[in-house]
Amino acid sequence: MRKAIIILFVVLLLAVGGALTYLFTQANSIIAKLKPEIEAQGSKALGTDMKLGEMNIQFFPQTAFAIDGVTLQGIKNPDKKLSVNSGKIQVSLLALLSGQVKIDSIVLDGPKIHIHQTKNGIVIDGLNPPPHKKQPGGKKSGDSQEQQAKPQKEKGANTVPGWLNLNLDSIVVRKGSLSFHPLAGAPIVANDVTLKSNLNVTGTRLTLAGLDLSTNVEEMGRIEIDLSQGSADLGSLRGTLKKLSLRTDLIDLGMKANSEITGVKFDGSTTSAEIQSITGDAVHPSITIPSFTLQGIVYNSEGLTLASGKLSSSLQPIGVIETSFHDISLLLPTMRATIGGIDSSLLRGTSSIKGTYNLKEHSGEFLVGFQELKYNEEEFGGDLRVVAKNKQFLVQDAKIKAFGAAIAASGGARPFEEILPYNTKLDLEKLDIQRTLAFLVPNQEAPLTGELTSLHATAEGTLKPDPKRTLIASTDLEIRNGEFKGGNLPALVLKAMKDIPFLNKAVFGSVPEEYQKELDGESTPIKRLVAEAKVQGEVISAQKLELESSLFSLRASGTVGFNGNLDLKTTFRFIPAFSLALTGKMKELRGLLDEEDRLVIPLQLVGTANKPVVLPNIEEIMKLGAGQVVKDKATDLLNKAFGTKKGQPNENVEPSKEQKLMEGVGNLLGF
């Protein structure tokens, strides 16, 4: 009996071993024979055309099914595909021997997925398209009356077979590619998609215990996502995400950011989502955002709304900016953006923005205000209205206070044109020039001081390719009670007169002592300066330039280049007291006195604005009376040559031969 039992046990062991040996050695052949049936059942279940590559089963070290390529393609549109280069499904061997399929993990290599946003919802290439929207009254477009009369079972955007029941330890995706095609705009393409997650699928219900995702998005950069918990219905694509951590390294934008998203609800069938809050931080080469919070975000087919938010940022050279905003919305059908309010605390002051803007028509209106902004010991304030129409932005009613001045401005710009054309009109009163230049060019002595009592200017041009070359402007201005620190103009003029040929000695050395102090300085006081000028071709053309100082006045016209080069034709007039005192010592200059006893010096100002060079205009000086000085000197020379004496000619006496000869020489010389 015992021997019979042993024999029976050996027979059973051989039978089981033989069966297992046959299963292990012939498993791939069995699977290959079942492949057409698997493709047929998969195509029927998914409503698509399923194609499988080579299939095999591995028993060691773990039991797994391996598939060399899976393709799902649309029945009506074969070009619409979802594909996987290769995959592996690990299963429980004990469950498999008992006739059950228990999947432990799935690994997919190189999946390629295309997702399209349509008016009817989300469509994934290779899977069922969403059903037609129901017409009013519950009818579906395209259904017959009989079909409409029958009760219809509601389907989701993508049907999933009800027999599917998975409880996975992990699902892994490597080197995937995902393309999202929105209704408008360029597609968003994510490459090198890597995913690892624990999930459970029961029917159409998907539950995620955790998910790690990383990818490189074209024209953006790297994105990493950690999901702590979430669930979704695969039929309707409705679900929730409890907490989502997002890390981005947007190389093209030069920005790194970390954020945490909580309380997410989404509905793929209607392409809508709600987010309770988003918090995080970001770093950019020009701005640092230590913290930001967005609350009450809603996205649907109508648009995007944001209930409120706060942002703390650090922007050089401004510093820390605290910003809060509320009631911001974007209506997608009309592309109309509305800003209920953006309030910022920056530069120890406040600013605000509110208004509407249509992104499609590029039209709208914004009100911008700022108060008590302080930077580098200067304070700014004002408000302005920006109106957008026909792709043009118009600044209206701009009233600004800065550098002690009241500034009124208006203008327009067309930012959607490549060369960025603009125009502006500016009026200001009582601007402190020294404060303005110290602010604009710090750590450098201001070459001009005083009060710009008034300025009226108009300008137009383009910001590209070179704003200086395209600038066309006209202006008139008045400056009072200032100082020009580029040099002492009256001293420069007197020193330059040494080159006048009829002067016996240097003019500067003959200056009366009581005026010497005013000529020893290195700057020029300005009582009043008025100018009218036009700007074009990187040159300022001054039609009128008048300057009054303590010792002189001048009138000039000419050009000043953007590079600082001067070319000004100038008439210099000293005050009468100084003129009489100087000509008392230098009688040669008396011919240059005008009817008001002002010493008139025609000259040319060249060089640069910071270092002007004075060139006396000899021709003009001769016209103004210095020719008489030369005539007197020539007469003296002729008298000495012919031995005649000075005196008035006697009309009753016949001129001598010598006198007649002198008269002829004088006529020849133009005297």
Side-chain angles (χ1 to χ4, degrees), residues 17-275:
L20 290 175
T21 301
Y22 177 80
L23 178 62
F24 290 166
T25 57
Q26 301 298 319
N28 291 333
S29 299
I30 297 172
I31 291 175
K33 293 178 181 179
L34 293 176
K35 176 182 171 183
E37 181 63 21
I38 295 173
E39 290 178 334
Q41 292 296 329
S43 298
K44 182 178 179 180
L46 298 175
T48 186
D49 186 7
M50 175 185 283
K51 300 292 184 182
L52 301 178
E54 182 180 347
M55 302 173 59
N56 57 72
I57 187 171
Q58 302 171 353
F59 291 97
F60 300 101
Q62 292 178 314
T63 306
F65 291 98
I67 305 175
D68 186 14
V70 179
T71 302
L72 305 178
Q73 60 187 36
I75 297 175
K76 295 183 179 180
N77 298 304
D79 293 336
K80 304 291 186 179
K81 298 179 180 180
L82 185 156
S83 63
V84 180
N85 290 341
S86 63
K88 182 182 290 187
I89 303 174
Q90 294 181 357
V91 298
S92 170
L93 179 60
L94 294 177
L96 187 64
L97 293 175
S98 64
Q100 297 179 352
V101 179
K102 182 182 178 183
I103 300 176
D104 293 328
S105 65
I106 296 177
V107 178
L108 302 177
D109 284 310
K112 295 179 176 62
I113 303 172
H114 291 267
I115 302 174
H116 299 265
Q117 182 187 23
T118 70
K119 294 181 179 179
N120 296 326
I122 295 295
V123 174
I124 301 176
D125 283 357
L127 297 180
N128 279 348
H132 294 295
K133 286 186 175 181
K134 291 184 178 182
Q135 296 177 343
K139 298 179 181 180
K140 293 182 180 179
S141 60
D143 289 349
S144 65
Q145 291 183 355
E146 293 180 0
Q147 290 173 323
Q148 294 169 1
K150 295 179 181 179
Q152 299 288 329
K153 184 178 180 180
E154 185 178 356
K155 296 181 180 180
N158 296 299
T159 55
V160 177
W163 49 262
L164 186 60
N165 191 335
L166 301 175
N167 190 354
L168 300 175
D169 290 333
S170 68
I171 179 171
V172 177
V173 176
R174 299 181 296 209
K175 296 182 179 180
S177 173
L178 176 67
S179 299
F180 178 74
H181 303 262
L183 281 172
I188 300 172
V189 181
N191 297 314
D192 298 325
V193 178
T194 300
L195 180 146
K196 184 177 181 181
S197 175
N198 298 334
L199 58 85
N200 174 275
V201 179
T202 303
T204 62
R205 190 69 181 174
L206 168 67
T207 302
L208 292 172
L211 179 144
D212 296 325
L213 171 67
S214 64
T215 182
N216 293 315
V217 181
E218 290 184 2
E219 299 184 0
M220 289 182 65
R222 186 166 182 79
I223 298 176
E224 298 178 357
I225 298 174
D226 294 334
L227 175 65
S228 61
Q229 186 176 340
S231 62
D233 184 275
L234 299 178
S236 63
L237 292 179
R238 296 187 183 97
T240 60
L241 303 175
K242 185 177 180 181
K243 183 179 177 182
L244 190 69
S245 296
L246 179 64
R247 296 179 298 278
T248 57
D249 186 358
L250 307 181
I251 299 174
D252 290 350
L253 299 178
M255 175 176 284
K256 294 183 179 181
N258 301 296
S259 58
E260 187 173 282
I261 305 170
T262 58
V264 179
K265 297 180 181 180
F266 61 89
D267 187 340
S269 63
T270 60
T271 318
S272 62
E274 296 181 12
I275 300 176

Side-chain angles (χ1 to χ4, degrees), residues 483-534:
E483 187 177 18
F484 171 66
K485 297 185 178 182
N488 190 315
L489 290 181
L492 292 174
V493 170
L494 295 175
K495 289 177 181 178
M497 291 179 67
K498 63 181 177 59
D499 297 324
I500 297 178
F502 59 80
L503 297 180
N504 291 327
K505 54 184 177 180
V507 178
F508 189 76
S510 301
V511 172
E513 185 177 351
E514 62 267 28
Y515 295 103
Q516 193 66 48
K517 185 177 180 181
E518 294 187 61
L519 298 174
D520 288 340
E522 297 182 354
S523 61
T524 303
I526 298 174
K527 288 184 176 180
R528 180 173 179 266
L529 184 150
V530 295
E532 295 178 4
K534 295 185 180 297

Side-chain angles (χ1 to χ4, degrees), residues 316-588:
Q316 295 299 330
I318 294 176
V320 177
I321 303 174
E322 299 289 346
T323 303
S324 62
F325 35 89
H326 61 88
D327 299 326
I328 296 178
S329 64
L330 172 63
L331 299 180
L332 293 178
T334 60
M335 296 301 290
R336 181 181 178 86
T338 301
I339 299 176
I342 299 179
D343 300 302
S344 296
S345 173
L346 71 160
L347 300 175
R348 293 174 283 171
T350 59
S351 67
S352 62
I353 302 175
K354 61 180 179 180
T356 61
Y357 184 72
N358 189 304
L359 297 174
K360 185 184 296 183
E361 300 176 356
H362 299 295
S363 62
E365 182 174 330
F366 286 94
L367 296 177
V368 181
F370 47 96
Q371 298 81 35
E372 299 180 354
L373 304 186
K374 298 179 181 66
Y375 183 71
N376 281 357
E377 306 305 323
E378 290 293 339
E379 184 173 313
F380 306 89
D383 55 74
L384 57 94
R385 181 190 304 270
V386 180
V387 177
K389 187 178 182 181
N390 298 327
K391 296 185 178 181
Q392 182 177 7
F393 285 79
L394 303 175
V395 177
Q396 300 177 348
D397 306 325
K399 297 179 180 179
I400 302 169
K401 292 183 179 180
F403 310 113
I407 305 172
S410 62
R414 295 191 291 275
F416 300 100
E417 296 185 19
E418 184 177 357
I419 59 175
L420 301 176
Y422 69 90
N423 63 82
T424 184
K425 180 181 179 182
L426 183 68
D427 298 286
L428 63 81
E429 296 179 350
K430 299 182 178 180
L431 181 135
D432 189 313
I433 298 174
Q434 185 173 9
R435 285 169 54 186
T436 305
L437 294 178
F439 181 87
L440 298 176
V441 190
N443 304 320
Q444 183 175 328
E445 185 180 11
L448 184 67
T449 65
E451 181 184 78
L452 183 58
T453 54
S454 67
L455 180 142
H456 310 285
T458 60
E460 63 180 52
T462 63
L463 297 180
K464 292 183 178 181
D466 186 345
K468 293 188 295 184
R469 284 191 295 171
T470 61
L471 174 63
I472 299 175
S474 62
T475 182
D476 62 84
L477 59 87
E478 180 183 46
I479 297 174
R480 289 183 179 272
N481 304 322
E483 187 177 18
F484 171 66
K485 297 185 178 182
N488 190 315
L489 290 181
L492 292 174
V493 170
L494 295 175
K495 289 177 181 178
M497 291 179 67
K498 63 181 177 59
D499 297 324
I500 297 178
F502 59 80
L503 297 180
N504 291 327
K505 54 184 177 180
V507 178
F508 189 76
S510 301
V511 172
E513 185 177 351
E514 62 267 28
Y515 295 103
Q516 193 66 48
K517 185 177 180 181
E518 294 187 61
L519 298 174
D520 288 340
E522 297 182 354
S523 61
T524 303
I526 298 174
K527 288 184 176 180
R528 180 173 179 266
L529 184 150
V530 295
E532 295 178 4
K534 295 185 180 297
V535 180
Q536 189 169 3
E538 299 186 58
V539 174
I540 303 172
S541 300
Q543 291 91 14
K544 175 183 178 182
L545 178 62
E546 297 180 358
L547 186 151
E548 293 181 15
S549 184
S550 58
L551 202 60
F552 72 95
S553 65
L554 70 79
R555 289 187 178 182
S557 62
T559 62
V560 180
F562 280 15
N563 56 5
N565 289 344
L566 294 176
D567 187 7
L568 293 173
K569 185 178 181 180
T570 306
T571 301
F572 211 89
R573 288 179 170 85
F574 287 96
I575 62 174
F578 176 84
S579 300
L580 293 174
L582 182 61
T583 55
K585 287 189 172 185
M586 294 190 67
K587 294 181 174 54
E588 300 96 326

